[in-house]
Protein backbone atom coordinates (compact mmCIF):
# COMPACT_ATOMS: atom_id res chain seq x y z
CA UNK A 1 0.00 0.00 0.00
CA UNK A 2 1.23 3.47 -0.89
CA UNK A 3 0.46 6.44 1.34
CA UNK A 4 0.16 10.18 0.84
CA UNK A 5 0.12 12.97 3.40
CA UNK A 6 -2.90 15.09 4.19
CA UNK A 7 -1.20 18.48 3.62
CA UNK A 8 -2.47 20.39 6.67
CA UNK A 9 -2.27 17.56 9.21
CA UNK A 10 0.57 15.36 8.05
CA UNK A 11 -1.63 12.26 8.42
CA UNK A 12 -0.25 9.42 6.32
CA UNK A 13 -3.33 8.10 4.52
CA UNK A 14 -3.59 5.05 2.31
CA UNK A 15 -4.08 6.15 -1.27
CA UNK A 16 -6.98 3.66 -1.43
CA UNK A 17 -9.87 4.37 0.90
CA UNK A 18 -12.76 2.02 1.64
CA UNK A 19 -16.10 3.53 0.64
CA UNK A 20 -19.14 2.14 2.44
CA UNK A 21 -21.89 3.32 0.09
CA UNK A 22 -22.17 0.07 -1.88
CA UNK A 23 -21.71 -2.73 0.63
CA UNK A 24 -22.58 -6.36 -0.26
CA UNK A 25 -26.25 -7.12 0.29
CA UNK A 26 -28.64 -10.02 0.64
CA UNK A 27 -32.26 -9.29 -0.28
CA UNK A 28 -31.52 -5.57 -0.22
CA UNK A 29 -30.00 -5.58 3.28
CA UNK A 30 -26.29 -5.32 4.08
CA UNK A 31 -24.69 -8.75 4.42
CA UNK A 32 -23.09 -7.85 7.75
CA UNK A 33 -20.66 -10.75 8.24
CA UNK A 34 -19.33 -10.42 4.71
CA UNK A 35 -19.14 -6.61 4.83
CA UNK A 36 -17.33 -6.63 8.19
CA UNK A 37 -14.87 -9.21 6.90
CA UNK A 38 -14.21 -7.11 3.78
CA UNK A 39 -13.57 -3.94 5.76
CA UNK A 40 -11.30 -5.64 8.27
CA UNK A 41 -9.39 -7.50 5.56
CA UNK A 42 -8.74 -4.24 3.72
CA UNK A 43 -7.49 -2.63 6.94
CA UNK A 44 -5.24 -5.61 7.58
CA UNK A 45 -3.74 -5.00 4.14
CA UNK A 46 -2.99 -1.34 4.74
CA UNK A 47 -6.18 0.67 4.15
CA UNK A 48 -6.49 3.29 6.89
CA UNK A 49 -9.21 5.64 5.58
CA UNK A 50 -12.85 4.49 5.71
CA UNK A 51 -15.72 6.63 4.43
CA UNK A 52 -19.45 6.43 5.12
CA UNK A 53 -22.43 8.81 5.39
CA UNK A 54 -25.79 9.23 7.11
CA UNK A 55 -28.00 8.02 4.21
CA UNK A 56 -25.91 5.15 2.84
CA UNK A 57 -27.88 1.89 2.72
CA UNK A 58 -30.89 3.65 4.18
CA UNK A 59 -28.96 4.61 7.29
CA UNK A 60 -27.46 1.16 7.90
CA UNK A 61 -23.92 1.94 6.73
CA UNK A 62 -22.72 3.93 9.75
CA UNK A 63 -23.87 1.31 12.31
CA UNK A 64 -22.31 -1.45 10.18
CA UNK A 65 -19.01 0.40 10.07
CA UNK A 66 -19.18 0.87 13.84
CA UNK A 67 -19.43 -2.91 14.24
CA UNK A 68 -16.58 -3.51 11.79
CA UNK A 69 -14.29 -1.18 13.74
CA UNK A 70 -14.64 -3.00 17.04
CA UNK A 71 -11.93 -5.35 18.36
CA UNK A 72 -9.18 -2.77 17.93
CA UNK A 73 -9.85 -1.76 14.32
CA UNK A 74 -11.05 1.74 15.21
CA UNK A 75 -7.60 2.71 16.40
CA UNK A 76 -6.08 1.70 13.06
CA UNK A 77 -8.10 3.95 10.76
CA UNK A 78 -9.28 7.46 10.11
CA UNK A 79 -13.08 7.53 9.93
CA UNK A 80 -14.91 9.89 7.60
CA UNK A 81 -18.63 10.56 7.61
CA UNK A 82 -20.86 13.41 6.54
CA UNK A 83 -23.45 15.84 7.85
CA UNK A 84 -26.66 15.27 5.80
CA UNK A 85 -26.82 18.90 4.70
CA UNK A 86 -30.17 18.65 2.91
CA UNK A 87 -31.88 17.57 6.15
CA UNK A 88 -30.53 20.41 8.25
CA UNK A 89 -33.12 23.05 9.12
CA UNK A 90 -31.43 24.71 12.10
CA UNK A 91 -28.16 25.09 13.96
CA UNK A 92 -29.44 22.58 16.52
CA UNK A 93 -29.94 19.97 13.78
CA UNK A 94 -26.22 20.01 13.07
CA UNK A 95 -25.36 18.93 16.60
CA UNK A 96 -28.22 16.43 16.66
CA UNK A 97 -27.02 14.64 13.52
CA UNK A 98 -23.37 14.67 14.57
CA UNK A 99 -24.16 13.25 18.01
CA UNK A 100 -26.32 10.53 16.45
CA UNK A 101 -23.50 9.65 14.06
CA UNK A 102 -21.02 9.33 16.92
CA UNK A 103 -23.42 6.90 18.58
CA UNK A 104 -24.03 4.97 15.37
CA UNK A 105 -20.31 4.61 14.78
CA UNK A 106 -19.53 3.76 18.39
CA UNK A 107 -16.83 6.40 18.65
CA UNK A 108 -16.23 9.66 20.48
CA UNK A 109 -14.80 11.52 17.49
CA UNK A 110 -14.90 11.68 13.69
CA UNK A 111 -11.46 12.09 12.16
CA UNK A 112 -12.64 13.60 8.87
CA UNK A 113 -16.11 15.18 8.91
CA UNK A 114 -17.69 16.49 5.73
CA UNK A 115 -20.64 18.67 4.83
CA UNK A 116 -22.37 16.36 2.37
CA UNK A 117 -23.22 17.14 -1.29
CA UNK A 118 -22.54 20.86 -1.24
CA UNK A 119 -23.66 23.11 -4.05
CA UNK A 120 -23.41 26.88 -4.09
CA UNK A 121 -26.98 27.30 -2.85
CA UNK A 122 -26.76 24.69 -0.08
CA UNK A 123 -23.49 26.18 1.18
CA UNK A 124 -25.12 29.61 1.41
CA UNK A 125 -28.07 28.13 3.32
CA UNK A 126 -25.81 26.31 5.79
CA UNK A 127 -23.72 29.43 6.38
CA UNK A 128 -26.89 31.34 7.20
CA UNK A 129 -27.81 28.64 9.72
CA UNK A 130 -24.42 28.86 11.45
CA UNK A 131 -22.45 25.95 10.00
CA UNK A 132 -19.10 27.70 10.42
CA UNK A 133 -19.80 28.15 14.13
CA UNK A 134 -20.94 24.52 14.36
CA UNK A 135 -17.70 23.24 12.84
CA UNK A 136 -15.62 25.48 15.10
CA UNK A 137 -17.47 24.24 18.18
CA UNK A 138 -17.33 20.56 17.19
CA UNK A 139 -13.59 20.82 16.60
CA UNK A 140 -13.07 22.65 19.87
CA UNK A 141 -14.88 20.00 21.93
CA UNK A 142 -13.21 17.12 20.07
CA UNK A 143 -16.23 15.57 18.37
CA UNK A 144 -14.60 16.15 15.00
CA UNK A 145 -10.93 16.50 14.20
CA UNK A 146 -10.82 17.76 10.61
CA UNK A 147 -13.53 19.56 8.63
CA UNK A 148 -14.18 19.17 4.91
CA UNK A 149 -16.94 19.02 2.34
CA UNK A 150 -18.08 16.90 -0.56
CA UNK A 151 -18.99 18.79 -3.70
CA UNK A 152 -21.76 18.12 -6.21
CA UNK A 153 -22.33 21.57 -7.63
CA UNK A 154 -21.30 23.66 -10.59
CA UNK A 155 -17.63 24.39 -11.08
CA UNK A 156 -18.17 28.15 -10.74
CA UNK A 157 -19.14 27.71 -7.05
CA UNK A 158 -16.27 25.45 -6.03
CA UNK A 159 -13.56 28.04 -5.41
CA UNK A 160 -15.74 30.25 -3.21
CA UNK A 161 -16.65 27.25 -1.03
CA UNK A 162 -12.97 26.34 -0.77
CA UNK A 163 -12.29 29.93 0.31
CA UNK A 164 -15.31 30.04 2.62
CA UNK A 165 -13.84 28.20 5.63
CA UNK A 166 -10.58 26.85 7.02
CA UNK A 167 -11.07 23.41 5.49
CA UNK A 168 -8.56 20.59 5.80
CA UNK A 169 -9.88 18.62 2.84
CA UNK A 170 -12.57 18.28 0.21
CA UNK A 171 -14.12 15.41 -1.70
CA UNK A 172 -14.89 15.61 -5.41
CA UNK A 173 -16.07 13.35 -8.19
CA UNK A 174 -13.17 12.76 -10.53
CA UNK A 175 -12.27 10.22 -13.18
CA UNK A 176 -11.04 10.38 -16.75
CA UNK A 177 -14.60 10.96 -18.00
CA UNK A 178 -15.24 13.82 -15.55
CA UNK A 179 -12.25 16.08 -16.09
CA UNK A 180 -14.46 19.11 -16.72
CA UNK A 181 -17.51 18.08 -14.68
CA UNK A 182 -18.42 19.70 -11.34
CA UNK A 183 -15.09 20.62 -9.70
CA UNK A 184 -13.08 18.85 -12.40
CA UNK A 185 -9.35 19.21 -12.94
CA UNK A 186 -9.51 22.94 -12.31
CA UNK A 187 -11.10 22.35 -8.92
CA UNK A 188 -8.63 19.62 -8.03
CA UNK A 189 -5.73 21.93 -8.73
CA UNK A 190 -7.33 24.91 -6.98
CA UNK A 191 -8.04 22.96 -3.80
CA UNK A 192 -4.50 21.61 -3.75
CA UNK A 193 -3.07 25.10 -4.28
CA UNK A 194 -4.92 26.17 -1.11
CA UNK A 195 -3.38 23.34 0.89
CA UNK A 196 -6.44 21.08 0.97
CA UNK A 197 -6.20 17.33 0.75
CA UNK A 198 -8.42 15.97 -2.01
CA UNK A 199 -10.46 12.80 -1.63
CA UNK A 200 -11.77 11.33 -4.89
CA UNK A 201 -15.19 9.69 -5.22
CA UNK A 202 -16.62 7.83 -8.22
CA UNK A 203 -13.20 6.93 -9.65
CA UNK A 204 -14.83 4.22 -11.78
CA UNK A 205 -17.96 6.23 -12.66
CA UNK A 206 -20.28 3.96 -10.69
CA UNK A 207 -18.63 0.83 -12.14
CA UNK A 208 -18.90 1.90 -15.79
CA UNK A 209 -15.11 2.00 -16.08
CA UNK A 210 -14.79 -1.38 -14.37
CA UNK A 211 -17.01 -3.55 -16.56
CA UNK A 212 -15.56 -7.08 -16.95
CA UNK A 213 -15.47 -6.48 -20.68
CA UNK A 214 -15.12 -2.97 -22.05
CA UNK A 215 -17.27 -1.96 -25.02
CA UNK A 216 -15.61 -3.29 -28.20
CA UNK A 217 -14.68 0.19 -29.44
CA UNK A 218 -13.02 0.94 -26.09
CA UNK A 219 -11.31 -2.45 -25.82
CA UNK A 220 -9.75 -1.87 -29.23
CA UNK A 221 -8.15 1.33 -27.92
CA UNK A 222 -6.83 -0.30 -24.74
CA UNK A 223 -5.27 -3.01 -26.91
CA UNK A 224 -3.03 -0.38 -28.49
CA UNK A 225 -1.16 0.16 -25.21
CA UNK A 226 2.36 -1.22 -25.00
CA UNK A 227 1.77 -2.09 -21.33
CA UNK A 228 -1.38 -4.16 -20.92
CA UNK A 229 -3.64 -3.26 -17.99
CA UNK A 230 -7.22 -3.99 -16.99
CA UNK A 231 -9.74 -1.15 -17.42
CA UNK A 232 -9.87 -0.81 -13.63
CA UNK A 233 -6.12 -0.38 -13.40
CA UNK A 234 -6.10 2.21 -16.16
CA UNK A 235 -8.85 4.20 -14.44
CA UNK A 236 -7.28 4.12 -10.98
CA UNK A 237 -3.73 4.75 -12.15
CA UNK A 238 -4.92 7.77 -14.14
CA UNK A 239 -6.28 9.36 -10.95
CA UNK A 240 -3.30 8.45 -8.80
CA UNK A 241 -1.05 9.88 -11.50
CA UNK A 242 -2.17 13.29 -10.18
CA UNK A 243 0.01 14.34 -7.22
CA UNK A 244 -2.80 16.59 -5.95
CA UNK A 245 -4.91 13.54 -5.09
CA UNK A 246 -4.67 12.30 -1.50
CA UNK A 247 -7.08 9.34 -1.32
CA UNK A 248 -9.25 7.54 -3.85
CA UNK A 249 -12.44 6.01 -2.47
CA UNK A 250 -13.61 2.73 -3.92
CA UNK A 251 -17.02 1.22 -3.19
CA UNK A 252 -15.51 -2.26 -3.00
CA UNK A 253 -18.02 -5.03 -2.28
CA UNK A 254 -16.57 -8.08 -4.02
CA UNK A 255 -13.46 -9.76 -2.65
CA UNK A 256 -11.81 -10.06 -6.05
CA UNK A 257 -12.34 -6.36 -6.69
CA UNK A 258 -10.81 -5.46 -3.32
CA UNK A 259 -7.76 -7.57 -4.13
CA UNK A 260 -7.44 -5.93 -7.55
CA UNK A 261 -7.71 -2.41 -6.12
CA UNK A 262 -5.18 -3.18 -3.40
CA UNK A 263 -2.73 -4.49 -5.98
CA UNK A 264 -2.96 -1.28 -8.02
CA UNK A 265 -2.66 0.84 -4.85
CA UNK A 266 0.71 -0.78 -4.18
CA UNK A 267 2.30 0.58 -7.36
CA UNK A 268 0.37 3.65 -8.58
CA UNK A 269 2.78 6.51 -7.95
CA UNK A 270 2.24 10.11 -9.09
CA UNK A 271 3.58 10.83 -12.55
CA UNK A 272 4.03 7.16 -13.40
CA UNK A 273 2.01 7.19 -16.66
CA UNK A 274 3.84 8.19 -19.81
CA UNK A 275 2.65 10.98 -22.13
CA UNK A 276 1.63 8.33 -24.67
CA UNK A 277 -0.42 6.52 -22.03
CA UNK A 278 -2.15 9.73 -20.95
CA UNK A 279 -3.00 10.48 -24.58
CA UNK A 280 -4.49 7.00 -24.90
CA UNK A 281 -6.67 7.53 -21.81
CA UNK A 282 -7.96 10.78 -23.32
CA UNK A 283 -8.91 8.91 -26.49
CA UNK A 284 -10.72 6.27 -24.42
CA UNK A 285 -12.57 9.02 -22.56
CA UNK A 286 -13.75 10.57 -25.81
CA UNK A 287 -14.95 7.17 -27.03
CA UNK A 288 -16.92 6.53 -23.82
CA UNK A 289 -18.49 9.97 -24.08
CA UNK A 290 -19.58 9.17 -27.63
CA UNK A 291 -21.11 5.86 -26.52
CA UNK A 292 -22.80 6.72 -23.20
CA UNK A 293 -25.98 8.81 -23.34
CA UNK A 294 -26.49 9.17 -19.55
CA UNK A 295 -23.82 10.00 -16.98
CA UNK A 296 -25.46 8.04 -14.15
CA UNK A 297 -23.21 6.54 -11.47
CA UNK A 298 -25.88 4.35 -9.88
CA UNK A 299 -25.65 6.14 -6.53
CA UNK A 300 -29.46 5.81 -6.09
CA UNK A 301 -29.81 9.21 -4.40
CA UNK A 302 -32.83 9.69 -6.70
CA UNK A 303 -34.71 6.81 -5.05
CA UNK A 304 -37.34 6.07 -3.98
CA UNK A 305 -39.28 7.37 -6.95
CA UNK A 306 -42.92 8.09 -6.01
CA UNK A 307 -44.04 6.29 -9.17
CA UNK A 308 -41.81 3.28 -8.52
CA UNK A 309 -39.34 3.83 -11.36
CA UNK A 310 -35.97 2.16 -10.74
CA UNK A 311 -34.07 5.07 -12.24
CA UNK A 312 -30.50 3.70 -11.94
CA UNK A 313 -31.52 0.38 -13.50
CA UNK A 314 -33.22 2.15 -16.39
CA UNK A 315 -30.11 4.21 -17.12
CA UNK A 316 -27.77 1.25 -16.66
CA UNK A 317 -29.53 -0.84 -19.30
CA UNK A 318 -29.91 2.18 -21.60
CA UNK A 319 -26.15 2.82 -21.44
CA UNK A 320 -25.44 -0.88 -22.02
CA UNK A 321 -27.63 -0.81 -25.13
CA UNK A 322 -25.63 2.10 -26.53
CA UNK A 323 -22.22 0.74 -25.54
CA UNK A 324 -22.69 -2.88 -26.59
CA UNK A 325 -25.48 -2.75 -29.19
CA UNK A 326 -28.70 -4.64 -29.78
CA UNK A 327 -27.11 -8.01 -29.05
CA UNK A 328 -26.12 -7.03 -25.53
CA UNK A 329 -29.27 -8.42 -23.93
CA UNK A 330 -30.01 -5.00 -22.46
CA UNK A 331 -33.66 -5.05 -23.55
CA UNK A 332 -34.25 -8.48 -22.05
CA UNK A 333 -32.59 -7.40 -18.79
CA UNK A 334 -34.60 -4.17 -18.72
CA UNK A 335 -37.82 -6.13 -19.19
CA UNK A 336 -36.90 -8.71 -16.57
CA UNK A 337 -35.57 -6.41 -13.86
CA UNK A 338 -38.42 -3.95 -14.26
CA UNK A 339 -41.17 -6.56 -14.33
CA UNK A 340 -41.28 -7.01 -10.57
CA UNK A 341 -40.80 -10.77 -10.61
CA UNK A 342 -37.21 -10.41 -9.41
CA UNK A 343 -38.00 -7.93 -6.62
CA UNK A 344 -41.12 -6.90 -4.73
CA UNK A 345 -43.68 -7.58 -7.44
CA UNK A 346 -43.97 -3.93 -8.49
CA UNK A 347 -43.07 -2.81 -11.98
CA UNK A 348 -40.37 -0.14 -12.24
CA UNK A 349 -40.21 0.92 -15.89
CA UNK A 350 -39.20 4.28 -17.32
CA UNK A 351 -42.66 4.86 -18.78
CA UNK A 352 -44.09 5.11 -15.26
CA UNK A 353 -42.39 8.49 -14.84
CA UNK A 354 -44.87 11.39 -14.66
CA UNK A 355 -42.16 14.10 -14.66
CA UNK A 356 -42.97 15.19 -11.10
CA UNK A 357 -39.39 16.43 -10.76
CA UNK A 358 -38.80 15.05 -7.25
CA UNK A 359 -35.63 13.31 -8.44
CA UNK A 360 -34.05 16.38 -10.02
CA UNK A 361 -32.88 18.08 -6.81
CA UNK A 362 -31.58 14.77 -5.45
CA UNK A 363 -29.36 13.85 -8.41
CA UNK A 364 -25.71 14.75 -7.74
CA UNK A 365 -24.98 14.32 -11.45
CA UNK A 366 -27.58 16.97 -12.37
CA UNK A 367 -29.13 14.64 -14.95
CA UNK A 368 -32.38 15.74 -16.59
CA UNK A 369 -33.93 12.50 -15.34
CA UNK A 370 -37.51 12.78 -16.69
CA UNK A 371 -36.23 13.71 -20.15
CA UNK A 372 -33.79 10.82 -20.17
CA UNK A 373 -36.41 8.37 -18.89
CA UNK A 374 -38.59 9.34 -21.83
CA UNK A 375 -35.74 8.29 -24.14
CA UNK A 376 -35.30 5.03 -22.22
CA UNK A 377 -38.98 4.20 -22.62
CA UNK A 378 -38.81 4.95 -26.35
CA UNK A 379 -35.80 2.65 -26.74
CA UNK A 380 -37.13 -0.30 -24.75
CA UNK A 381 -40.91 -0.13 -24.62
CA UNK A 382 -42.55 -0.65 -27.97
CA UNK A 383 -46.30 -1.07 -28.73
CA UNK A 384 -46.26 -4.72 -27.62
CA UNK A 385 -44.23 -4.11 -24.46
CA UNK A 386 -46.92 -4.93 -21.89
CA UNK A 387 -47.64 -8.19 -23.67
CA UNK A 388 -43.93 -9.01 -23.48
CA UNK A 389 -43.95 -8.21 -19.75
CA UNK A 390 -46.93 -10.48 -19.11
CA UNK A 391 -45.32 -13.28 -21.10
CA UNK A 392 -42.17 -12.91 -19.01
CA UNK A 393 -44.15 -12.98 -15.76
CA UNK A 394 -46.00 -16.12 -16.89
CA UNK A 395 -42.67 -17.71 -17.74
CA UNK A 396 -41.35 -17.02 -14.23
CA UNK A 397 -44.58 -18.22 -12.62
CA UNK A 398 -44.46 -21.44 -14.61
CA UNK A 399 -40.91 -22.02 -13.45
CA UNK A 400 -42.00 -21.69 -9.82
CA UNK A 401 -44.94 -24.12 -10.13
Amino acid sequence: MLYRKMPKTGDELSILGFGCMRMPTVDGVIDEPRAIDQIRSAIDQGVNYVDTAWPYHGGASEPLLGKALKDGYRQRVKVATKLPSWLVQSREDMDRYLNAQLERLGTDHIDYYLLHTLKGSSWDELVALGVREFLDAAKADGRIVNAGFSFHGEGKDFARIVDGYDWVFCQIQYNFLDQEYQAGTAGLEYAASKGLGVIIMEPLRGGTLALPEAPPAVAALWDEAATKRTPVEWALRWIWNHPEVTVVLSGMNVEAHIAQNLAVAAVAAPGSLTPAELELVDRVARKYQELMPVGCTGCAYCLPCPMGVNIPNCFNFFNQLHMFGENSGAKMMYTAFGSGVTSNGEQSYASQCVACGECLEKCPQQIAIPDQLEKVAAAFEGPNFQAEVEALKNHFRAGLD
Side-chain angles (χ1 to χ4, degrees), residues 17 121 150 201 244 262 337:
S121 57
S150 68
M201 56 184 164
E244 300 90 350
L262 286 166
F337 276 83

Side-chain angles (χ1 to χ4, degrees), residues 157-240:
D157 292 318
F158 183 73
R160 73 180 182 88
I161 296 176
V162 168
D163 295 338
Y165 186 72
D166 184 20
W167 309 106
V168 168
F169 71 115
C170 64
Q171 185 167 306
I172 63 173
Q173 176 169 322
Y174 196 57
N175 54 67
F176 65 71
L177 297 186
D178 292 325
Q179 299 181 52
E180 298 180 5
Y181 180 69
Q182 294 182 1
T185 301
L188 170 71
E189 294 175 349
Y190 185 78
S193 75
K194 295 293 184 175
L196 274 65
V198 183
I199 313 298
I200 301 300
M201 56 184 164
E202 300 294 353
L204 302 176
R205 207 26 138 64
T208 296
L209 303 180
L211 295 172
E213 293 185 13
V218 171
L221 291 175
W222 287 140
D223 285 343
E224 295 179 16
T227 300
K228 305 305 179 186
R229 299 184 175 104
T230 65
V232 169
E233 184 172 0
W234 278 112
L236 293 177
R237 288 188 72 129
W238 182 87
I239 298 172
W240 280 319

Side-chain angles (χ1 to χ4, degrees), residues 52 124 208 283 291 300 361 389:
T52 183
D124 293 339
T208 296
R283 289 168 57 204
L291 293 172
E361 278 299 310
V389 172

Side-chain angles (χ1 to χ4, degrees), residues 231-278:
V232 169
E233 184 172 0
W234 278 112
L236 293 177
R237 288 188 72 129
W238 182 87
I239 298 172
W240 280 319
N241 198 65
H242 294 75
E244 300 90 350
V245 169
T246 310
V247 175
V248 171
L249 293 173
S250 179
M252 306 175 283
N253 58 19
V254 176
E255 287 74 10
H257 297 168
I258 297 171
Q260 183 180 32
N261 290 355
L262 286 166
V264 182
V267 296
S272 59
L273 295 183
T274 68
E277 288 173 329
L278 292 171

